[in-house]
Amino acid sequence: MTEKKDKTTIILFSGDLDKAMAAFIIANGAAAYDHEVTIFFTFWGLNVLRKEESVPVKKGFLEKMFGWMMPKGAEKLGLSKMNMGGLGPKMIKHVMKKHNAMPLPQLIEMAKEQGVRLVACTMTMDLLGIKKEELMDGVELGGVAAYLGDATEGKVNLFI
Amino acid sequence: MTEKKDKTTIILFSGDLDKAMAAFIIANGAAAYDHEVTIFFTFWGLNVLRKEESVPVKKGFLEKMFGWMMPKGAEKLGLSKMNMGGLGPKMIKHVMKKHNAMPLPQLIEMAKEQGVRLVACTMTMDLLGIKKEELMDGVELGGVAAYLGDATEGKVNLFI
Amino acid sequence: MTEKKDKTTIILFSGDLDKAMAAFIIANGAAAYDHEVTIFFTFWGLNVLRKEESVPVKKGFLEKMFGWMMPKGAEKLGLSKMNMGGLGPKMIKHVMKKHNAMPLPQLIEMAKEQGVRLVACTMTMDLLGIKKEELMDGVELGGVAAYLGDATEGKVNLFI
């Protein structure tokens, strides 16, 4: 007989480095406290999951434009404040290194190892023209129904 | 004897098209799953509810300025990212049409039909000088007490 | 025998005046309804707690830069929208005064008087080089574990 675990769900709507870091720090913390954790990536949040390299997929013109303009993956994200044309993220990464804080790609790896589920929103993937092959491995696909199923049982539900 | 329904509450603080769409997609999903859903519109989120046409109401100078500078209704909202002077919203609306995704005004109509309650925050209406006559029909007025009453019983409570 | 109180937790990630006001209005409302309320300040949200005057503390170069570029305390915050180089906050403060709405510093005082706990995130304090002496009195320090402990029991958990 297994006890039912607490659930935590996070919708990551933002594609900003600072907000993505906050999401993964909370997710990893909750997983360490034995919560079942799911992060739902929607809109700009999908950029966190994109592979750095170009993946050859067929796209329409606007989808290509979106793909070209949006950052590709955790290393390329900007800050929600004080981005200063990319100087802000450099400064943050520098102080994180100095303080031995985990950078975002490592936070993502840790989340996967701890069994945090990463779910990409199929509806916004369609809109922004992002294909599954362009996302990192280990990502599930899901919609608003999957989110609500989890969140209704969640103790902690955040929109970031 | 009726079973008590699950509750979902969303505070829509943002007046960005993408965030408003996310709010209404979640709200409509939750309503479809038979939740009682309330969206509280505060600060810039009030702009989502504004009528497109000017409504003759008495206002002070600063209230007129706010009214003139803020977008009037769902058709006029910008994006939180990649707004590019209005090009971004045009691109998003174009791909939504292509993928047969519901545009925001239709998502709002659907929410009303499903019984989602739309509550405008009276305190920020006062501050920004927005009168009830300037908001779309079917909107209720409420304050932080109304929100907390609902949210305390809510299974899913989000701030967007 | 005491009844267990409802709990409300807010993560204030944003350092914008409008979002900070929203956080404190909800927190004060919840405290008035006899909830146990905690606000966790992380990333730019820490700026809300900074003292206006410079406090002599030892810092590295980047930490000094962050400290110099970020707003010092509730009086100096900008708006998330329509900041217009500081004109927006002036307009908001003006209409708040006209409508007898509490300005942010007073909302913070009221929160303290009502027993709302203000917790500064130690990890982001480290990253941004903010020392405890630079924060207003009555602020506790805590990490993601403290947050999760509270949020797991929270009825209303928001990320702002």
Side-chain angles (χ1 to χ4, degrees):
Chain A
M1 215 181 81
T2 55
E3 217 191 327
K4 233 183 150 188
K5 286 189 179 185
D6 286 337
K7 281 195 182 184
T8 289
T9 73
I10 295 171
I11 296 179
L12 185 56
F13 174 95
S14 164
D16 295 318
L17 175 62
D18 41 355
K19 292 198 171 176
M21 276 173 30
F24 275 94
I25 289 166
I26 297 167
N28 282 329
Y33 280 86
D34 213 29
H35 286 211
E36 273 181 38
V37 186
T38 311
I39 310 180
F40 292 86
F41 297 80
T42 186
F43 280 89
W44 321 110
L46 287 170
N47 291 326
V48 178
L49 302 177
R50 288 173 81 198
K51 288 180 189 159
E52 240 179 284
E53 70 272 16
S54 272
V55 179
V57 285
K58 261 185 108 172
K59 294 196 186 196
F61 176 71
L62 279 179
E63 284 86 350
K64 267 188 199 150
M65 287 284 284
F66 276 120
W68 178 73
M69 290 186 299
M70 297 187 307
K72 274 193 182 155
E75 296 281 15
K76 300 289 173 51
L77 306 176
L79 289 177
S80 69
K81 291 278 155 185
M82 303 213 309
N83 193 51
M84 302 178 292
L87 182 59
K90 280 213 181 72
M91 284 172 66
I92 284 282
K93 283 173 193 170
H94 190 89
V95 289
M96 285 175 68
K97 207 169 174 179
K98 192 178 137 192
H99 290 281
N100 291 315
M102 267 192 202
L104 183 54
Q106 224 173 308
L107 287 169
I108 298 174
E109 269 323 299
M110 194 191 176
K112 284 185 184 175
E113 281 165 24
Q114 290 200 98
V116 172
R117 289 172 55 208
L118 309 180
V119 180
C121 168
T122 45
M123 201 199 103
T124 44
M125 282 174 67
D126 268 5
L127 285 187
L128 300 175
I130 296 173
K131 312 285 181 193
K132 194 178 192 317
E133 304 92 277
E134 297 178 274
L135 301 181
M136 61 170 65
D137 294 332
V139 170
E140 302 170 49
L141 304 185
V144 69
Y147 167 69
L148 286 164
D150 279 348
T152 306
E153 295 183 16
K155 286 270 178 85
V156 184
N157 299 312
L158 303 173
F159 183 99
I160 299 185
Chain B
M1 216 181 80
T2 56
E3 217 191 328
K4 233 182 150 188
K5 285 188 180 186
D6 286 335
K7 280 195 182 185
T8 290
T9 74
I10 295 170
I11 295 179
L12 185 57
F13 174 96
S14 163
D16 295 319
L17 175 62
D18 41 357
K19 292 197 170 176
M21 276 172 31
F24 275 95
I25 289 166
I26 296 167
N28 282 328
Y33 280 85
D34 213 28
H35 286 211
E36 272 181 38
V37 186
T38 311
I39 310 180
F40 293 86
F41 297 81
T42 187
F43 280 88
W44 320 110
L46 287 169
N47 291 326
V48 178
L49 301 177
R50 288 174 81 200
K51 288 179 187 158
E52 240 178 285
E53 68 273 17
S54 273
V55 179
V57 285
K58 262 185 108 171
K59 293 196 186 197
F61 176 70
L62 279 179
E63 285 86 349
K64 265 186 199 153
M65 286 284 285
F66 276 120
W68 178 73
M69 289 186 299
M70 297 187 305
K72 274 193 180 153
E75 296 281 15
K76 300 289 172 50
L77 306 176
L79 289 178
S80 68
K81 291 277 155 185
M82 304 214 309
N83 193 52
M84 303 178 291
L87 181 60
K90 281 214 180 71
M91 283 171 67
I92 283 282
K93 284 174 190 169
H94 190 89
V95 289
M96 285 175 67
K97 205 167 175 179
K98 194 178 137 192
H99 289 281
N100 290 315
M102 266 192 202
L104 182 54
Q106 225 173 309
L107 286 169
I108 297 174
E109 269 323 299
M110 194 192 175
K112 284 185 184 175
E113 281 164 25
Q114 290 198 101
V116 172
R117 289 172 55 209
L118 309 180
V119 180
C121 168
T122 46
M123 201 200 102
T124 44
M125 283 175 67
D126 269 5
L127 286 187
L128 300 174
I130 297 173
K131 313 284 182 194
K132 193 177 193 318
E133 305 92 276
E134 297 177 272
L135 301 181
M136 62 170 64
D137 295 332
V139 170
E140 300 171 48
L141 304 186
V144 69
Y147 167 68
L148 285 164
D150 279 348
T152 306
E153 296 183 17
K155 288 270 178 85
V156 185
N157 300 312
L158 303 173
F159 184 100
I160 298 185
Chain C
M1 216 181 81
T2 56
E3 216 192 327
K4 231 181 149 188
K5 285 186 178 187
D6 285 336
K7 280 193 182 186
T8 289
T9 74
I10 295 171
I11 295 179
L12 185 57
F13 174 96
S14 165
D16 296 319
L17 175 63
D18 42 355
K19 291 198 171 176
M21 277 173 28
F24 276 94
I25 290 166
I26 296 167
N28 281 328
Y33 280 86
D34 213 28
H35 286 212
E36 272 181 38
V37 186
T38 311
I39 311 180
F40 293 86
F41 297 81
T42 187
F43 279 89
W44 321 110
L46 287 170
N47 291 327
V48 178
L49 302 177
R50 286 174 81 200
K51 288 180 188 157
E52 240 178 285
E53 69 273 15
S54 274
V55 180
V57 285
K58 262 185 107 171
K59 293 197 187 196
F61 177 71
L62 278 179
E63 285 85 350
K64 266 187 198 150
M65 287 284 285
F66 276 121
W68 178 73
M69 289 186 301
M70 298 187 306
K72 274 194 181 153
E75 296 281 14
K76 302 288 172 51
L77 306 176
L79 288 177
S80 68
K81 291 276 155 187
M82 301 213 310
N83 193 52
M84 302 177 291
L87 182 60
K90 281 215 181 71
M91 284 172 66
I92 284 282
K93 284 173 191 170
H94 190 90
V95 289
M96 283 174 69
K97 204 166 174 181
K98 193 178 137 192
H99 288 281
N100 291 315
M102 267 192 204
L104 182 54
Q106 225 174 307
L107 287 169
I108 298 175
E109 269 324 298
M110 193 190 176
K112 285 184 184 176
E113 281 164 25
Q114 289 198 99
V116 172
R117 288 172 56 209
L118 310 180
V119 181
C121 168
T122 46
M123 200 200 103
T124 44
M125 283 175 67
D126 269 5
L127 285 187
L128 300 175
I130 297 173
K131 313 284 182 195
K132 194 179 193 314
E133 305 91 277
E134 298 177 273
L135 301 180
M136 61 169 66
D137 295 331
V139 170
E140 302 169 49
L141 303 187
V144 68
Y147 167 69
L148 285 164
D150 279 349
T152 306
E153 295 183 15
K155 287 270 179 82
V156 183
N157 300 313
L158 303 173
F159 183 100
I160 297 185

